Amino acid sequence: MLEGARYGTLTLRAASLRGDSARYRGEPRRDALLAVRFGIGDSALVLVAVASGQPAAPGAHRVARELCEWIAAAVGRNQARLTEDIHTANRGALSSGLHRLTDRAYGRLRAGATVRGLAPADHTASVRCLLLPAHPACRTRVFFGVGDGGLFRMRDGVWQDLEPAGGERDTVGGPVLGYGGGRPPAQQPSQPSQPPQPPHPPYAPADPSSAAPTAPDPGSDPAPAHGPFRFRASVARPGDTLLLCSAGLAEPLRGEAALADRLAERWDTTEAPGLAAFLADAQTGVKGYADDRTAAAVWEA
């Protein structure tokens, strides 16, 4: 599966591939990829969602696809509010709201497991998402998700691992501009002359008529079956390349320097590659890694 688009200062390239192991066994691709634009013009918001179903679980490919679609439906319903929060750098609202939306999607998966008589651990998937505002003056890029995979940034020809630590929601402090492992600085106290703003209501669920249980408050840090909620908001610079990927690419990228060097050489360019070239790069083989691969990369003009 291939996707490509250009909005404002960003160019998107995305590909999802069945791995050698699945091809050998004649199994479907467990990875799912969804790229969608909500709104038009400078107010548009682009969502890229990547999900991976459980190995050897029945219907794993359908679970991954459904999870992407449910989260996309929720983002679409809240597009105006999300766009405003991104443009105003309202990290607290973004983190808590996206946490709730993600938990509701996992609640639907748990309900589906009960109906089918399956263990929740078998009827789940990893999911990782990017929210990309189309306005050229807004360089904020928002990541959120649950489970395995990777978030990387190439800056000045060097890969940086931006994967948030489990449970760290990156809701305070300045923009994430350096190497991605550090905790943001403490929040500065409010000035007495600035009264606190009333809290925003939570984002609306994907389907108001859904019977899915309401998620608990994010402050309680509920952990879905696939792991803790992860969130990071960063500010892009011209020349950056941001990479979101499933575990099938994240693991060899972290473990094999030759692959990291190869992709850095290919993607450290001012212009994004064409779809065919991006597909060829994403298919670069690494001995010992045969899982599905899904990659979504954003080039910053």
Side-chain angles (χ1 to χ4, degrees), residues 20 252-253 256 259 283-290 293:
D20 291 340
L253 193 58
E256 298 293 335
L259 177 63
Q283 285 179 311
T284 303
V286 180
K287 186 177 181 179
Y289 297 91
R293 282 188 185 182

Side-chain angles (χ1 to χ4, degrees), residues 27-28 30 53-63 118-119 121-124:
E27 296 176 350
R30 291 184 294 106
Q54 288 287 79
H61 59 295
R62 288 188 292 270
V63 173
L118 300 172
D122 292 333
H123 194 72
T124 189

Side-chain angles (χ1 to χ4, degrees), residues 245-257:
C245 55
S246 65
L249 180 59
E251 291 178 0
L253 193 58
R254 291 188 177 110
E256 298 293 335

Side-chain angles (χ1 to χ4, degrees), residues 85 89-96 98-99 140-145 151 153 161-187 221 229-235:
D85 286 341
N90 192 345
R91 294 188 178 201
L94 286 166
S95 177
S96 61
L98 293 170
H99 196 169
T140 302
R141 310 294 179 240
V142 175
F143 160 83
F144 67 98
L151 178 67
R153 178 175 60 203
D161 194 336
L162 301 187
E163 181 74 6
E168 180 186 337
R169 292 194 291 274
D170 190 17
T171 59
V172 298
V176 179
L177 294 178
Y179 191 78
R183 182 173 296 276
Q187 188 175 20
D221 283 332
F229 178 75
R230 302 176 188 272
F231 173 89
R232 185 175 290 284
S234 61
V235 176

